[in-house]
Each structure stands twice: as C-alpha cells, then as structure tokens.
Amino acid sequence: MTCEHAAKVKPVPPRTPTGCEECLTAGTSWVHLRLCLTCGHVGCCDDSPGRHATRHAQASTHPVIASYEPGERWAWCYTDQVGVDLPPQAVPYLR
Ligand SMILES: [Zn+2]
Ligand SMILES: [Zn+2]
Ligand SMILES: [Zn+2]
C-alpha cells in the first residue's frame, strides 16, 4: 500500500502548541498529542478519552497526522490506514 497524501501536505504551524485544542477548551486531559499536517490542528491520541485527533481527521477528511510528542518523528495516514514517512517539511513544527 502506498500513500499519495503525505507527499502533498503543506504543513502549517500548530494552532494550539500547548496541547489538544478541544481538551484545552473543555478542560479535559490527554495522553499523547498528534498534529494534523493539513491545518495545524493539535489533537489527542486514541489512548486519550477524547480521541480528538481521530475525530478531527474524520470530520475534516484531513488525511495525515504526525506525532506531536517531543522527539517522536513519525506520521500516519488515516485515509490509507498506514504509517508513512514523516514529510520533511513538517519537521520544523514538531517538538
Ligand atoms: Zn495516504
Ligand atoms: Zn483531546
Ligand atoms: Zn486538520
């Protein structure tokens, strides 16, 4: 399976660099953070109660996220359900 989405993303700076956008608004907690490489949405992972990264991907159809955890360098395509190489252009926006 090959992913055509990762090479096409044009990452933008994180909208909420301090945490999950929805959790910050609601005052809830998260486990790990993920960055949407289409719009800069920061959401929480599927181990978090809110699962806001996945819910954002489903609502927006933005395909590719990257880990927004310090030092982690990987990306995932929701459309293809496959791990993808981290687009180099996203690196400046990660932690
Ligand atoms: Zn893809
Ligand atoms: Zn969240
Ligand atoms: Zn997005």
Side-chain angles (χ1 to χ4, degrees):
M1 177 105 60
T2 58
C3 169
E4 299 180 347
H5 307 95
K8 293 179 182 170
V9 293
K10 296 183 174 60
V12 298
R15 284 167 15 189
T16 53
T18 56
C20 170
E21 187 168 323
E22 286 87 347
C23 286
L24 287 171
T25 300
T28 52
S29 60
W30 59 81
V31 180
H32 300 296
L33 295 173
R34 307 292 181 240
L35 175 65
C36 174
L37 297 187
T38 302
C39 72
H41 173 267
V42 177
C44 51
C45 70
D46 286 351
D47 293 327
S48 308
R51 299 186 173 188
H52 290 121
T54 294
R55 286 165 63 175
H56 169 77
Q58 292 171 343
S60 65
T61 70
H62 294 162
V64 184
I65 57 160
S67 175
Y68 194 56
E69 290 298 308
E72 286 193 9
R73 295 291 181 267
W74 55 263
W76 172 263
C77 178
Y78 280 105
T79 303
D80 297 311
Q81 290 289 299
V82 66
V84 296
D85 290 338
L86 181 70
Q89 62 271 32
V91 171
Y93 303 124
L94 303 183
R95 299 199 292 174

Short mmCIF file of all heavy atoms in Angstrom, two decimals, residues 20 22-23 30 43-44 50-52, ligand 2:
data_model
loop_
_atom_site.label_atom_id
_atom_site.label_comp_id
_atom_site.label_asym_id
_atom_site.label_seq_id
_atom_site.Cartn_x
_atom_site.Cartn_y
_atom_site.Cartn_z
N CYS A 20 -3.93 19.66 23.19
CA CYS A 20 -5.07 19.33 22.33
C CYS A 20 -6.08 20.48 22.34
O CYS A 20 -6.51 20.93 23.40
CB CYS A 20 -5.73 18.05 22.84
SG CYS A 20 -7.31 17.68 22.05
N GLU A 22 -9.30 20.74 21.55
CA GLU A 22 -10.60 20.50 22.18
C GLU A 22 -10.46 20.28 23.69
O GLU A 22 -11.31 20.72 24.47
CB GLU A 22 -11.30 19.30 21.54
CG GLU A 22 -11.87 19.57 20.16
CD GLU A 22 -10.85 19.35 19.05
OE1 GLU A 22 -9.64 19.22 19.34
OE2 GLU A 22 -11.27 19.32 17.87
N CYS A 23 -9.40 19.58 24.09
CA CYS A 23 -9.22 19.33 25.52
C CYS A 23 -8.90 20.62 26.28
O CYS A 23 -9.36 20.81 27.41
CB CYS A 23 -8.10 18.31 25.75
SG CYS A 23 -8.55 16.61 25.36
N TRP A 30 -5.30 14.68 28.27
CA TRP A 30 -4.94 13.81 27.14
C TRP A 30 -3.74 12.98 27.52
O TRP A 30 -3.09 13.23 28.53
CB TRP A 30 -4.66 14.66 25.90
CG TRP A 30 -3.55 15.65 26.12
CD1 TRP A 30 -2.20 15.38 26.05
CD2 TRP A 30 -3.67 17.03 26.45
NE1 TRP A 30 -1.50 16.52 26.33
CE2 TRP A 30 -2.36 17.55 26.57
CE3 TRP A 30 -4.76 17.87 26.66
CZ2 TRP A 30 -2.12 18.88 26.90
CZ3 TRP A 30 -4.52 19.20 26.98
CH2 TRP A 30 -3.21 19.70 27.09
N GLY A 43 -4.44 17.50 18.25
CA GLY A 43 -5.46 16.68 18.89
C GLY A 43 -4.81 15.58 19.70
O GLY A 43 -3.60 15.33 19.60
N CYS A 44 -5.64 14.89 20.51
CA CYS A 44 -5.10 13.84 21.36
C CYS A 44 -5.28 12.48 20.69
O CYS A 44 -6.11 12.27 19.82
CB CYS A 44 -5.76 13.89 22.73
SG CYS A 44 -7.55 13.95 22.75
N GLY A 50 -10.69 11.69 24.75
CA GLY A 50 -11.36 12.47 23.71
C GLY A 50 -11.11 11.99 22.30
O GLY A 50 -11.92 12.22 21.41
N ARG A 51 -9.97 11.33 22.07
CA ARG A 51 -9.59 10.86 20.72
C ARG A 51 -9.79 11.97 19.68
O ARG A 51 -10.32 11.73 18.58
CB ARG A 51 -10.41 9.64 20.32
CG ARG A 51 -10.19 8.47 21.25
CD ARG A 51 -10.89 7.23 20.76
NE ARG A 51 -10.54 6.07 21.59
CZ ARG A 51 -10.89 4.82 21.29
NH1 ARG A 51 -11.58 4.57 20.20
NH2 ARG A 51 -10.54 3.83 22.08
N HIS A 52 -9.34 13.17 20.03
CA HIS A 52 -9.67 14.31 19.19
C HIS A 52 -8.90 14.34 17.87
O HIS A 52 -9.36 14.95 16.90
CB HIS A 52 -9.47 15.61 19.98
CG HIS A 52 -10.49 15.79 21.06
ND1 HIS A 52 -10.16 15.92 22.40
CD2 HIS A 52 -11.83 15.82 20.99
CE1 HIS A 52 -11.27 16.03 23.11
NE2 HIS A 52 -12.30 15.97 22.28
ZN ZN B 2 -8.30 15.98 23.13
#
